Amino acid sequence: EPAPAAPAIVVPPPRWSTPAAEDAIAAVPDVLPLALGAPVAIPAPRESAGSDAVPFAGASAHLAALLDLIAARAGAAIADGWHTGRISADAADHHPFEREVLALSGAAGAHAAAQVADARALLVERADGIAARVRATLAAGTPLPFVELGREYALSPLALQIFVAVLAPSARGEIARLYRILGNESGRPACDETLVAILLGGERDAIARELAAHAPLVCHGLVRRDRATGALDVDPVLVARLRGQPAVL
């Protein structure tokens, strides 16, 4: 008889990946993309009765909230790295890189449960209500460049999350430092495809498809990839647009 197959190593998704966090970034009404021509009429999004969501003051406030959310996701992913051992320092009673090797080979530990719980709570707190505020803002007639960009290029919810993740380190320096801690490898780019996958909690094949040369993010120049290093970034002109600022050529 043939030998039984070795059991597959199943790595559970990060504990901090939540539907609320995904919905907060992907809060774009389901309308025809403007790239296909403006539809005859777009009904204004309606908040449920009794909603007390506060509209954003403008584009800059919306982008700041999205960056706060990305910072919380990075913090939660770092806490998950501490917990599994993927991000760890050598200890006197361990072999070199012992915890990291175990985590990367599928034998994750459990070293930082309290930090994971705290980071997840912060992520949920920041995610909760952002989507409702987007809808309230649009219902009030205030345009949001991020929403317009998503419509214009027909970006999927995952593409929108990738886009925000890639622009975040250039839009806020503190996030660049969080990314370097999360990457846990000196000399690598601040943001690349692997880091985006860690940050967004897996689905690496789907993320690779969204970052393929023919996909909207790349073929329209929304995300740029350095062929030599694999670094991902966003043109400063786009960051200025999302802040509601005029482009400086």
Side-chain angles (χ1 to χ4, degrees):
E1 295 182 3
I9 296 175
V10 178
V11 179
R15 299 172 178 80
W16 48 267
S17 183
T18 66
E22 295 168 3
D23 189 42
I25 288 183
V28 179
D30 184 16
V31 296
L32 292 174
L34 298 184
L36 301 180
V40 176
I42 300 177
R46 295 182 180 181
E47 283 298 303
S48 58
S51 172
D52 58 355
V54 179
F56 288 106
S60 182
H62 180 222
L63 179 60
L66 292 176
L67 294 176
D68 287 343
L69 185 61
I70 288 294
R73 293 192 80 146
I78 290 168
D80 187 76
W82 293 337
H83 188 62
T84 63
R86 190 187 69 82
I87 302 175
S88 58
D90 286 343
D93 58 341
H94 291 163
H95 297 294
F97 308 106
E98 180 176 342
R99 285 185 177 181
E100 183 178 359
V101 169
L102 290 172
L104 293 174
S105 62
H111 310 291
Q115 288 82 356
V116 169
D118 290 345
R120 179 184 173 89
L122 178 62
L123 175 60
V124 171
E125 177 184 336
R126 290 188 178 178
D128 187 34
I130 292 183
R133 291 189 67 190
V134 167
R135 297 186 183 101
T137 304
L138 297 175
T142 302
L144 293 175
F146 178 77
V147 175
E148 294 173 345
L149 194 75
R151 291 171 173 169
E152 183 177 347
Y153 293 101
L155 299 181
S156 70
L158 178 58
L160 287 168
Q161 294 185 63
I162 294 170
F163 180 64
V164 178
V166 173
L167 74 84
S170 61
R172 184 177 293 176
E174 295 84 351
I175 294 178
R177 174 58 181 156
L178 286 172
Y179 278 18
R180 293 197 180 278
I181 295 171
L182 180 59
N184 194 32
E185 185 177 343
S186 62
R188 71 180 294 171
C191 184
D192 58 18
E193 187 174 317
T194 297
L195 185 135
V196 170
I198 295 171
L199 180 73
L200 299 183
E203 297 296 332
R204 298 197 178 201
D205 289 345
I207 289 170
R209 286 193 294 271
E210 294 289 0
L211 288 171
H214 62 274
L217 283 176
V218 177
C219 73
H220 294 304
L222 302 176
V223 169
R224 303 181 298 190
R225 186 198 297 267
D226 186 294
R227 292 186 178 180
T229 66
L232 302 174
D233 71 355
V234 169
D235 193 302
V237 171
L238 285 173
V239 178
R241 174 181 173 180
L242 296 183
R243 285 194 171 117
Q245 299 171 345
V248 179
L249 303 178

